[in-house]
Amino acid sequence: MEFAIEIKNLVKKYQNKTAVDDVSFSVKRGEFFGFLGPNGAGKTSTINALTGIGQFQGGEIKVFGFDVVKDYREARRKIGLSPQEFNIDAFVSPRDTLYYVGGFFGMPKKERVKRADSVLRELGFGHEADLPFRALSGGFKRRVMLARAMMHNPDILILDEPTAGADVELRHGLWKILSDLNKKGKTILLTTHYLEEAERLCDRIGIIYNGKLVALESKHELIKDGKSIEEHYLNLTTNGATQ
Amino acid sequence: MNFIGVLAFIEKETSKMRHLGAQILFAPWVSALLYILIFGQVVGQRIGEISGVTYIDFVVPGLLMMNIMQSAFGHASSVLYFNRFIGSINELITAPFSYFEIIIGFLVSSLIRVLVIGGGVYVIALLFTVTTVNHFFLFLFYVISSSIVFALAGLLVGLWAEHFEHLAIPTIFIIMPLTFLGGVFNSIYMLPEKLQIFAYFNPFFYFIDGMRYSMIGISESNRTAGILFILTLILVLGAWVWKLFKIGYKIRN
């Protein structure tokens, strides 16, 4: 079995606080993996360690067999990240943002222009593609985040709360896009606070609480006792996890 | 080496000169025009010659160097701080770049801005005097080396700054005073005798004096020592910036 992501004994500390405490899990190629947990549980710290944004103090992370520290160039080419916060230059248009980011990943100019056009079309951009980021609606801003992650056609998409703040219509639209991407073979690691979203989209779910992985099962395994993911989640992240 | 990536980064950062031309380009050009007009023409005609050249010819190399220092510093510090502030620095960190490549991207984009601004200042100077370049390769050395030194200093400030105001502090309290005391508008022999010795301890003096020599052949310092000093600065500041990027100081959590 080839793993898209392998995390072994990951430890991430912020001064005296251990944000991620000896966490190990793997994500299979082509899997839709839900990574859940309350605020401050260690989700974003894990994602940061995986993508290079954050350093970590212990453990090992591999992306399609490439170590994210030693073989960082190969590992990063495999990953597209859509972070929680809007971190795009407000004066740059979506088209230009994609053009530059494609360049960062080594795509030649002609290929970048073509790919940006295709990604923007796929995500429903019209004239919005050439407006500055600050002039876009919240929904289109979210789509730019996803488009940027998709631009270099990575094998893995890491989506940190991609539907946060999105209205119902947009959320359903994004679910459809994510589902299609997964069907086309993309491995997706999704964090979300909308448990309905995880239940609908994910094949397997990991729940992190207080820096420790407290559940790691397929969605069907998790809910076979008749309880919803939400019930399991609440049980694990309130009274169950610390026992 | 991620060549395409570095070029894309440079293209992104220099494209801002198109969008923010009034602030980035016209402001220094207008201020250079005023300096040349007031100090070079109006005041200069009453001063007469310094070291055998007209005052305007004496001032122009200093003004050029002043613009190089300020624009290299301003570009590197503001671009890095802005990228940190909005979080778009993560676009670089999550891309297949080494720290060295990121630093090169900042330095080259600073140099391009310097060349555009410096080129404009030079053309403005040509409206008032026949500004010459006596030693072209030395001139090139001073343009490039001073851009690198001040861009590296700008990166240090861009990493250190916590607020936008922090970006202005080094310009107001370090760069401007040392530039003015480094002989932009006067020969250091015009300073009171007791102050002249301090000019030799002012690092900016060696940039300004070197530029003046490369353009009009007048020098008041030991140029070899000055060049060695500049090269040492590049190595020390370069190593410092690289180390801070490597440990992720204020850019990786």
Side-chain angles (χ1 to χ4, degrees), chain A residues 52 55 73 76 104 148, chain B residues 2 91 93 101 252-253:
Chain A
Q55 294 162 333
R73 287 189 203 264
R76 289 180 196 172
F104 295 171
R148 185 177 61 175
Chain B
N2 183 0
E91 281 181 357
I93 292 172
E101 288 160 355
R252 295 175 75 206
N253 51 41

Side-chain angles (χ1 to χ4, degrees), chain A residues 16 21 23 94 126 201 205 209 240:
Chain A
N16 299 326
D21 190 2
V23 164
L201 295 170
I205 283 167
Y209 180 62

Side-chain angles (χ1 to χ4, degrees), chain A residues 37-96:
Chain A
N39 289 329
K43 301 186 300 291
T44 301
S45 294
T46 304
I47 287 175
N48 286 349
L50 180 55
T51 53
I53 292 171
Q55 294 162 333
F56 51 95
Q57 285 68 42
E60 184 186 57
I61 306 177
K62 284 185 176 175
V63 172
F64 284 101
F66 294 112
D67 187 288
V68 296
V69 178
K70 288 181 203 141
D71 314 310
Y72 66 95
R73 287 189 203 264
E74 291 83 353
R76 289 180 196 172
R77 281 198 181 96
K78 300 275 179 196
I79 297 174
L81 170 69
S82 168
Q84 221 176 97
E85 309 290 337
F86 294 136
N87 63 347
I88 288 178
D89 193 329
F91 301 100
V92 180
S93 71
R95 190 182 303 282
D96 285 346

Side-chain angles (χ1 to χ4, degrees), chain A residues 95-232:
Chain A
R95 190 182 303 282
D96 285 346
T97 297
L98 299 198
Y99 172 80
Y100 294 129
V101 169
F104 295 171
F105 282 87
M107 295 169 75
K109 281 191 177 188
K110 277 186 187 169
E111 192 184 328
R112 263 186 267 169
V113 172
K114 229 165 128 181
R115 173 74 183 157
D117 205 43
S118 131
V119 170
L120 289 167
R121 219 172 323 113
E122 191 176 346
L123 294 187
F125 282 84
H127 73 285
E128 299 86 358
D130 297 298
L131 295 176
F133 185 74
R134 67 188 165 140
L136 298 173
S137 66
F140 272 104
K141 282 181 177 165
R142 274 281 156 223
R143 288 182 211 206
V144 180
M145 304 294 281
L146 181 58
R148 185 177 61 175
M150 290 163 62
M151 177 62 192
H152 61 288
N153 201 11
D155 294 317
I156 304 170
L157 285 170
I158 296 178
L159 312 172
D160 197 358
E161 299 185 31
T163 57
D167 58 29
V168 176
E169 202 180 10
L170 171 66
R171 199 177 306 155
H172 280 261
L174 286 171
W175 288 350
K176 167 91 174 60
I177 291 166
L178 297 181
S179 199
D180 288 347
L181 285 167
N182 183 239
K183 277 179 198 150
K184 285 178 190 165
K186 299 285 178 205
T187 306
I188 297 178
L189 187 152
L190 169 85
T191 80
T192 180
H193 286 298
Y194 301 112
L195 300 178
E196 177 205 356
E197 188 168 285
E199 195 158 348
R200 181 185 280 243
L201 295 170
C202 299
D203 305 317
R204 213 152 58 94
I205 283 167
I207 299 175
I208 189 169
Y209 180 62
N210 275 345
K212 287 189 176 293
L213 201 63
V214 293
L216 182 64
E217 285 183 79
S218 75
K219 177 174 67 185
H220 300 296
E221 199 65 30
L222 199 62
I223 57 176
K224 74 175 180 191
D225 58 2
K227 291 180 185 165
S228 68
I229 288 183
E230 188 159 337
E231 285 170 294
H232 282 285

